[in-house]
Amino acid sequence: MNNATEFANWLKSKEMIIHLENKFGRFSTFSIFIKLAKNEDIDYLFCMENYDDNTLTRVASFQYAGIYCKRDGLVYDAQYSICALEPDEKILGKSKEDLLSELISAAHQRVEAVIGNDRKNLIISKLTSPILIRNLEYAK
């Protein structure tokens, strides 16, 4: 079983820790992944990489690696430690950049639907807040 398959199986399991060896020719790195539950649907993923052996070490620390959603079985915001495993594309969700882009697009569509190119539909017709006026001028 390759690392990507082992990692995907681990995500679905109740195990909290997995050790993986990544071979690059004569060299190997060892990754220790842990899952920490945020709630019943979301796990935060962290990874410690070690270039000497497959054990925890005092000189390395766990780094954020991504977010696993149990509902859809996808890993979101996957960092290098996960992407380096070359996982099956079916488990990779969207990056934070993709999610932000979708959120901005949805907000624009919602605003356009509410306003409908008719300024009378705007709740605020005149800006009076100095901060909002400055932000508007900056955006122009």
Side-chain angles (χ1 to χ4, degrees):
M1 182 178 330
N2 68 18
N3 281 345
T5 304
E6 199 171 337
F7 180 79
N9 290 340
W10 169 73
L11 287 172
K12 298 172 195 164
S13 76
K14 298 215 182 280
E15 295 295 321
M16 192 175 119
I17 299 173
I18 188 172
H19 301 85
L20 298 173
E21 181 179 1
N22 301 312
K23 293 188 179 211
F24 303 100
R26 309 179 305 147
F27 302 100
S28 292
T29 61
F30 300 91
S31 301
I32 301 170
F33 287 92
I34 62 171
K35 293 188 274 196
L36 297 176
K38 177 181 182 347
N39 56 41
E40 64 185 39
D41 294 326
I42 300 292
D43 284 339
Y44 288 122
L45 306 174
F46 295 89
C47 179
M48 176 190 292
E49 296 191 327
N50 187 338
Y51 299 94
D52 296 325
D53 58 30
N54 197 15
T55 60
L56 293 171
T57 177
R58 292 183 307 156
V59 295
S61 60
F62 282 96
Q63 302 293 319
Y64 168 79
I67 299 170
Y68 176 61
C69 177
K70 296 174 192 173
R71 283 189 180 185
D72 61 14
L74 297 177
V75 175
Y76 291 90
D77 193 25
Q79 302 298 300
Y80 177 78
S81 56
I82 292 174
C83 294
L85 298 173
E86 298 179 356
D88 188 338
E89 293 295 321
K90 289 183 254 177
I91 71 160
L92 290 181
K94 296 179 175 153
S95 67
K96 64 182 173 188
E97 291 82 9
D98 291 340
L99 291 169
L100 179 61
S101 178
E102 283 184 18
L103 179 63
I104 289 171
S105 177
H108 282 239
Q109 289 175 359
R110 178 72 178 132
V111 168
E112 289 172 7
V114 168
I115 294 173
N117 278 337
D118 187 354
R119 299 192 100 212
K120 294 176 197 163
N121 292 335
L122 287 171
I123 295 171
I124 300 172
S125 59
K126 182 176 181 179
L127 288 179
T128 56
S129 166
I131 294 171
L132 293 176
I133 293 170
R134 185 182 70 221
N135 289 348
L136 178 64
E137 292 301 317
Y138 180 76
K140 289 182 183 179

